[in-house]
Every structure is written in structure tokens, then in C-alpha cells.
Amino acid sequence: MLFCFACQQKKDSTNTYYQEQHRPQFHFTPEKGWMNDPNGLVYYDGEYHMFYQHYPDSTVWGPMHWGHAISKDLVGWEHLPIALYPDSLGYIFSGSIVVDENNTTGFQTGKEKPLVAIFTYHDMVKEKLGRNDRESQGIAYSLDKGRTWTKYEKNPVIPNKGDTDFRDPKVFWHEASKHWIMPLAVGKKLEIFTSPNLKEWEKASEFGLKESVNDGVWECPDLISFKTEAGVEKWVLIQNIGRGAINGGSGTQYFVGNFDGKTFTNDNSPETKLWLDYGADNYAGVTWFNAPNNERIYIGWMSNWDDYANLVPTSTWRSGMTVPRKLTLINTPDGYRLAQMPVKQLETLRISSTNIPKQTITNTLSIDNKSVLNELDLSFDLSASTATELGFVLSNSKNEKLIVGYDKTSKQIFIDRTNAGKSDFSSKFAKKHKAPFNDVKELTIKALVDNASIEVFVNGGKIAMTDLFFPTEDYTKIELYSKGGNTELVSGTIHPLKSIWVKK
Ligand code: FRU
């Protein structure tokens, strides 16, 4: 059975903006140069701001600036000028932005609320001298909706007392204690600081020495609360770790527990490892401050710091973000767990919709073998399988293929990019990534494909996997498969997606 939607994917051949090979079309990437972590995620006055670790002069990591973009809907992005430049105190490493609603800083002069950025200064002079007091925390503020920034003249607000890795403040307002709270990654643990005014900080507690898994430093924490269905407040600590993730290199763990305004306590044993994403390419992700309806909207950097971030084969730019995802906390027999799905607004990018009728897959079901399959939103609802393995494959005429599947014997969801295209830039790239998964009476797989990345969400986002891949030519074929038995396809939908990048 064949469905074709090539006709809906006409491209304007005169437009070269964001048209380089491997360039994502509906994910955020910088116009040029290097990007890593999302920073300063804040919603204010109808605009989602995203700042990001940026080196505009090269496609490899270097002196860190904060790049800046805004969105009204988390779908389209407008590039704005660089917000923060390195200065005599150092490079501007990762951090967050808050809306100082009650003017606790005293920075407010007119009607606009101050947006206050809290970030890490990384002093390269001290680093070169081998000093371990190289990182400190600074602040800057904007009184014009994030357009221009003034650094606080008394920076740093938290000097370094001797910890080499002392960074990535992710500040929020804690209404119950009427204080600002700053989770900070310090070595292989978390420190929590509190402040009445974002200028004077006091250390309140530590967390994680027992929970540290390996030799990877902790980076980019985020402590967020959820209201459970029973109306109880639960807290989740998102914790990025530089090395030792379940599928190699850097990755993101999370802990579920409680927070009393000073201390975070873990509901689970220190040995319980919860992974936010089982792919190899989602790192340094955090959530928006002040998002409407108190939603927890998350975005991550689609790469792997430890394994190949500086090496991936892109041209004028390097790295993109994941799509924005809505996080929820679900009650499971094992306790509370995070679930995540792409934000609904992304559905506005759908060009058309192809439904694949209900049927039994006995071996392979070819869905399309003519179109260019670069930007897709796919959903498959599969059930009653006697197969040992099932899933779908994207491939091209060179037999490069990306496979997403469920292996019943090992009870694992996987993305196999072993033969998906280019991989000679790193021996750590051509791999199969796996996520343990038991809950398979029904298997719903949603996947977003964007030229060089796939994000997979299983059973309503209970499992998420994000992987990069670099085919040498476009994928033009998609098929579902069922090995060692049959699989019922309950429903399937394919939406080609349009680009968000139009040069102004
Ligand atoms: C995470 C990270 C942060 C640091 C920034 C430097 O990717 O290493 O810990 O602030 O990147 O660019």
C-alpha cells in the first residue's frame, strides 16, 4: 500500500535561508555559529524568551555569549541581537531569568517588571592559571522586555569558595517561604541557595552525593513543582549529568520528591535512576519560568557533550534544540514519574494528514517510497502483536536507515542509527539506543523527524528518546514492520510539516 504526499512538500528553490544540508526546519537553531544549552527561559508579556549558550564566531565551543530569540507560540522563533557578552569577570555560562514581580531587587524604574538574569561567570584567566575559584554567579537586568541588559555593578553575587565546578543557577520564586531559590550544580551534587532579593544569597542545603552515578559532573539543574491529581504538591529535580548516561555520554536524570523551601528530599532510594530521555541527544534541558497556566514547558539541547557535540557534520551552524515539550507528573505503580509530549501548538505546522487504515501487518507495510521525508509528524497505534519485534524504518536509495522499534524479547524500545548515514566523525555515534519498557498492551508511538533528528514519544510520553542522524541523501521510504509474528495497526497518521524559517 502506498501513500504519497510529495506534492505537498514543494520547496521554494530560490530560498536558501536555513536550507543547508541537515538543517532542521521546525527546530530552533542559531543562524550561524555554535550553540549549546538553552538559558534564561522566561515568559513575559506574551513572549517566550529563549537565550542560549552561543559562540557566534565559530562552529565549535568558545567564549560564551547569551544568544537570544523570542516566540509568541513556541513554534516560530525570531532572532534578536546577542543579549550578554563575556566581560572581565569571564564567559557567560548557563543560567536562568526570572520576572521580579515584586521588585525585590529594586531595579524597577518604570512600568515594566525587571527581568533578572542569574548566570555563571567562567573566568578563563583563572582557569589557565589552574585556579579552582574560576566560576561565580552574576546577575543582569532588563527593563525593556529583555531587549537590552545591564550587568549588576556589584557582581559576582555569589563568589567562589573553591569549587571548580560551580554553575548553572536556575532560580525560581518560592511563594510559601517568600524567597528566591537557586538550585546550583556544584561538582557532583546540588547546592540550594536562598535569597530575598536576588543579590544576597545564603546556602540552605545540599543534595545528591549519594545519588551521583559516575564520574560525570552535575550541570544545569531545574527544581519544579507539580500538583498531583490528588491536589498534593510534588517536586521534581531535573539534573543533567556530563557523563555516564544510560545510552552513553551526557544525559538527564530526574528525582521525584519534596521541597520545603530549603531542602529537597528524594522519594526514591539513591540507587533509583530515572532518565528524562533515553536517546543520546538531549542535554542541558530546563523549563520556562512563568509559563502560562503554570505549565512546565521544557526544552533541551540536541547533542551529546561528552561524545561528539563539537564534531557533528553540520556546516554554518552547530546544534539545535529539541521541540518544546510539556512535562506532566503521572502516578504509576512505581511512584510518580515524568511524562512529556511536544507542545500542541506544533500541530499548526502540519501541511496535510494521511491516515493509514486499520490492518494487520504481517511482514512489512510500505507507507511511502517516493517522497522526500525530511519533516514529519508520525503517529502509530499498534496492538495485539504476536511479533517478536515491530516498528518503522526510514530509509533512502543508499540503504541508509533509521529504525525505531520495540523488541519484545528484551522488552526495550529502541532507536537504531547504526546505519543511518554519516558516522565517521565519532566512533561513539553509530549505535542502537535502548529504553526499558514493559507497558505494552498497546503501543502508541509518536515521532517528530526533522532532517537530522528524531524525537520519539511512547504511550503518551512515558518514554522519550531523542537522537541525531545524518543521512548522506534524503530519506524517501517509510515502512512499518512486524517480525516473527503479526501486528495490528489500529491507526496511523502521517503529517508532513512546514518550515518555520522564512527570512525577513
Ligand atoms: C552544559 C554546560 C554548563 C555550562 C555551559 C558552558 O552543557 O557545560 O554546565 O554552564 O555548558 O557552555
Side-chain angles (χ1 to χ4, degrees):
M1 185 172 310
L2 290 180
F3 300 86
C4 172
F5 32 76
C7 33
Q8 285 131 357
Q9 292 191 299
K10 273 186 215 133
K11 286 217 161 127
D12 172 4
S13 58
T14 58
N15 176 19
T16 55
Y17 186 63
Y18 271 74
Q19 292 300 311
E20 303 92 338
Q21 192 187 20
H22 307 310
R23 182 69 109 158
Q25 293 302 301
F26 60 92
H27 286 81
F28 183 82
T29 51
E31 273 183 320
K32 66 175 185 68
W34 166 268
M35 177 179 82
N36 55 299
D37 316 356
N39 294 151
L41 303 176
V42 63
Y43 178 83
Y44 180 68
D45 198 22
E47 293 173 334
Y48 292 88
H49 292 260
M50 181 163 64
F51 299 78
Y52 53 91
Q53 289 285 280
H54 186 37
Y55 183 28
D57 300 331
S58 169
T59 51
V60 294
W61 189 88
M64 282 294 109
H65 303 54
W66 273 27
H68 188 193
I70 50 169
S71 175
K72 290 203 178 338
D73 55 6
L74 292 171
V75 179
W77 291 96
E78 182 188 340
H79 293 293
L80 292 183
I82 287 174
L84 296 173
Y85 284 79
D87 61 43
S88 62
L89 293 177
Y91 294 178
I92 315 293
F93 270 21
S94 287
S96 47
I97 291 180
V98 296
V99 183
D100 185 12
E101 199 63 47
N102 302 320
N103 195 21
T104 61
T105 50
F107 289 147
Q108 188 169 351
T109 52
K111 89 171 192 346
E112 289 304 337
K113 302 288 180 198
L115 297 184
V116 183
I118 309 98
F119 54 85
T120 297
Y121 270 120
H122 184 97
D123 187 333
M124 286 308 284
V125 180
K126 286 184 178 169
E127 179 176 328
K128 282 187 186 128
L129 291 170
R131 286 170 58 166
N132 54 13
D133 60 347
R134 59 188 74 151
E135 294 186 341
S136 61
Q137 317 317 317
I139 63 175
Y141 61 95
S142 168
L143 301 175
D144 58 359
K145 302 183 188 180
R147 290 343 190 242
T148 60
W149 291 85
T150 308
K151 286 176 182 143
Y152 181 47
E153 73 278 6
K154 293 193 186 138
N155 277 337
V157 290
I158 309 186
N160 189 308
K161 295 211 183 79
D163 292 291
T164 315
D165 296 295
F166 184 68
R167 58 179 178 265
D168 307 339
K170 180 66 171 73
V171 176
F172 65 93
W173 176 252
H174 187 243
E175 187 53 33
S177 63
K178 301 243 179 300
H179 268 77
W180 296 104
I181 311 291
M182 178 200 289
L184 191 74
V186 184
K188 291 181 209 163
K189 62 173 168 28
L190 182 83
E191 293 190 358
I192 295 180
F193 291 75
T194 64
S195 169
N197 56 11
L198 297 168
K199 295 171 176 168
E200 293 143 55
W201 292 92
E202 198 176 305
K203 184 170 153 186
S205 66
E206 292 188 354
F207 169 78
L209 272 182
K210 286 200 225 105
E211 279 79 0
S212 283
V213 263
N214 49 51
D215 58 345
V217 290
W218 285 25
E219 298 183 308
C220 302
D222 193 3
L223 184 55
I224 51 179
S225 65
F226 290 88
K227 270 263 151 48
T228 67
E229 275 168 18
V232 179
E233 187 172 60
K234 289 304 294 180
W235 289 79
V236 171
L237 171 65
I238 294 176
Q239 186 56 64
N240 289 278
I241 56 163
R243 182 169 300 152
I246 184 155
N247 276 302
S250 52
T252 311
Q253 281 186 258
Y254 69 93
F255 303 93
V256 182
N258 295 307
F259 177 65
D260 63 4
K262 292 202 162 169
T263 307
F264 174 77
T265 43
N266 189 357
D267 275 359
N268 299 295
S269 74
E271 292 74 38
T272 309
K273 305 278 172 271
L274 306 174
W275 295 96
L276 186 132
D277 193 305
Y278 287 87
D281 299 303
N282 183 359
Y283 192 58
V286 286
T287 61
W288 261 274
F289 179 93
N290 199 36
N293 309 316
N294 213 21
E295 283 187 344
R296 301 302 178 196
I297 310 292
Y298 164 97
I299 198 164
W301 168 45
M302 271 204 291
S303 198
N304 193 308
W305 230 164
D306 200 42
D307 282 359
Y308 42 69
N310 273 300
L311 304 172
V312 292
T314 57
S315 52
T316 52
W317 85 102
R318 200 175 252 118
S319 296
M321 298 299 180
T322 65
V323 290
R325 304 174 182 180
K326 183 177 162 183
L327 302 183
T328 49
L329 194 66
I330 53 171
N331 204 353
T332 76
D334 297 327
Y336 288 105
R337 295 290 182 266
L338 281 182
Q340 58 192 296
M341 287 299 275
V343 295
K344 279 254 176 253
Q345 298 91 302
L346 289 164
E347 291 174 9
T348 58
L349 293 174
R350 293 173 176 175
I351 298 169
S352 63
S353 178
T354 302
N355 291 317
I356 305 148
K358 188 169 183 318
Q359 61 196 285
T360 304
I361 307 167
T362 50
N363 186 4
T364 55
L365 172 68
S366 182
I367 301 172
D368 194 330
N369 64 4
K370 297 211 257 309
S371 314
V372 170
L373 301 168
N374 286 343
E375 298 96 26
L376 299 175
D377 172 351
L378 309 167
S379 302
F380 300 118
D381 187 351
L382 302 152
S383 74
S385 173
T386 56
T388 50
E389 189 188 310
L390 58 135
F392 68 89
V393 186
L394 281 163
S395 59
N396 61 21
S397 71
K398 293 191 174 164
N399 210 22
E400 293 169 346
K401 51 179 131 191
L402 181 76
I403 313 167
V404 177
Y406 177 63
D407 179 337
K408 223 184 197 170
T409 321
S410 61
K411 296 193 167 64
Q412 284 170 333
I413 303 283
F414 65 85
I415 300 179
D416 186 348
R417 66 174 181 194
T418 316
N419 290 307
K422 299 173 193 168
S423 64
D424 57 356
F425 55 90
S426 164
S427 60
K428 294 181 174 163
F429 194 79
K431 288 204 172 141
K432 183 171 176 178
H433 301 128
K434 301 162 197 162
F437 198 64
N438 272 323
D439 174 23
V440 282
K441 273 197 216 95
E442 193 169 353
L443 190 64
T444 61
I445 303 180
K446 180 178 175 71
L448 294 176
V449 176
D450 190 1
N451 288 272
S453 67
I454 184 160
E455 290 159 278
V456 175
F457 304 90
V458 179
N459 285 13
K462 286 183 188 157
I463 293 282
M465 296 184 81
T466 307
D467 265 4
L468 297 176
F469 56 91
F470 299 97
T472 58
E473 65 173 40
D474 294 332
Y475 286 146
T476 49
K477 187 171 169 188
I478 180 165
E479 61 185 25
L480 284 156
Y481 72 93
S482 176
K483 262 193 214 163
N486 296 341
T487 298
E488 290 303 314
L489 174 70
V490 182
S491 66
T493 319
I494 302 198
H495 304 277
L497 300 181
K498 59 187 172 205
S499 178
I500 59 170
W501 298 110
V502 185
K503 190 166 186 149
K504 287 203 174 150

